Amino acid sequence: MTHTFTIAIDGPAGAGKGTLARRLADHYRLNLLDTGLTYRAVAHKLLQLGLPLDNVSAAETAARQVDLSKLDRAVLSAHAVGEAASKVAVIPTVRRILVEKQRDFAKTPPGAVLDGRDIGTVVCPDADIKLYVTASAEVRARRRLAEILADIERRDERDMGRADSPLKPAVDAHLLDTSEMAIEAAFLAAMAIIDDVLAKRSGA
Ligand code: DC
C-alpha cells in the first residue's frame, strides 16, 4: 500500500483553519479538502428542493450525490447555507456517508490536508499531523464582522452600480442617515419630515 501523507485540521468557525489549510496544501503539494463544503452541499441541495433540513432520507440521498470534485465555494459560502449545514450535520447517516467520501479523498496519493470539525477524531484518526486551530470568541467575532462589512460593501456596489434602476436617492428625496439612530429615533425623524411637509401643504 502506498503511504499517503495526511494533515488533519480542526477548529471552530473563524479560527483561520481554511486559510491555513490552503497555504499548507500549496506548500507541501497535497490535495485539499474543506469538509465543511460537503455538509454545505447537502444543505444547499435541500434548500434548493425546498425540503426541511431534518428530512433524513432526502438528506441521505443528497449526501450520496455529493461529488467532491464539484464543490462550488462561491455558491456554498453563503451564510444561510452554513447555518443550514450545521443542522444537517447532526444527522448520523449523513455524517457516515460524507466521512466515507472524505476518507477516500485523504487516501488518494500524494495525500491531503483536510479541514473541518472531526478530522483528527473521526475522519482521519491516523493522520500524520493533527492541528487544532482556535482563537478567542471575541477575535473570531471581529474577523466575522470584517467579512460582513466586505459583504455589505459588495452588495451596495452591485445595487448602486447596475444599469437598470440602480439604488440612488431620487432628486427630491429627504436624506435620513440612521448611523447614529436607534429605530425609534429614526421613526421620529421620519415622522418629523412627513409632518413638516404636511404642515407646509396645509399652510400653503
Ligand atoms: O466550516 P464550515 O462553516 O464550512 O462548516 C459548516 C457546518 O458543517 C458547520 O457548522 C459544522 C458542519 N461540519 C461538520 O459537522 N463537520 C465537519 N468536518 C465540517 C463541517
Side-chain angles (χ1 to χ4, degrees):
M1 207 182 88
T2 8
H3 180 74
T4 53
F5 194 75
T6 309
I7 301 177
I9 304 184
D10 290 298
K17 55 185 193 310
T19 309
L20 257 182
R22 198 168 55 245
R23 295 285 307 273
L24 291 170
D26 273 355
H27 184 80
Y28 294 102
R29 296 178 197 286
L30 294 167
N31 298 319
L32 172 66
L33 180 61
D34 171 355
T35 60
L37 291 180
T38 64
Y39 293 91
R40 284 170 181 262
V42 173
H44 182 250
K45 186 77 189 179
L46 296 184
L47 292 174
Q48 239 181 354
L49 296 172
L51 293 171
L53 300 166
D54 59 358
N55 183 329
V56 173
S57 68
E60 287 171 8
T61 304
R64 275 190 211 97
Q65 287 169 350
V66 168
D67 180 343
L68 298 193
S69 69
K70 291 193 180 122
L71 297 169
D72 186 344
R73 181 176 296 278
V75 170
L76 300 177
S77 65
H79 181 71
V81 179
E83 284 292 307
S86 105
K87 291 178 186 159
V88 300
V90 304
I91 305 171
T93 45
V94 165
R95 299 201 69 87
R96 234 166 289 144
I97 293 163
L98 294 180
V99 164
E100 195 61 35
K101 291 175 194 262
Q102 295 161 8
R103 283 184 182 145
D104 287 344
F105 184 92
K107 280 189 220 132
T108 307
V113 179
L114 292 91
D115 79 271
R117 303 291 190 288
D118 59 347
I119 311 303
T121 53
V122 176
V123 181
C124 302
D126 299 324
D128 298 271
I129 313 278
K130 297 179 184 178
L131 295 177
Y132 188 86
V133 183
T134 190
S136 73
E138 285 81 2
V139 168
R140 291 187 286 124
R142 226 173 292 139
R143 289 175 185 161
R144 174 86 57 88
L145 190 65
E147 280 168 27
I148 294 171
L149 179 64
D151 256 11
I152 288 180
E153 286 172 345
R154 261 196 303 274
R155 183 159 164 192
D156 285 351
E157 223 172 85
R158 227 178 9 248
D159 288 347
M160 292 175 180
R162 66 174 178 241
D164 190 343
S165 325
L167 166 66
K168 62 175 179 190
V171 286
D172 52 352
H174 298 265
L175 191 67
L176 184 56
D177 184 337
T178 64
S179 305
E180 309 291 331
M181 292 178 192
I183 188 65
E184 186 60 22
F187 171 66
L188 292 175
M191 229 167 56
I193 293 169
I194 295 163
D195 288 347
D196 189 44
V197 171
L198 290 176
K200 276 184 189 135
R201 269 198 201 162
S202 62

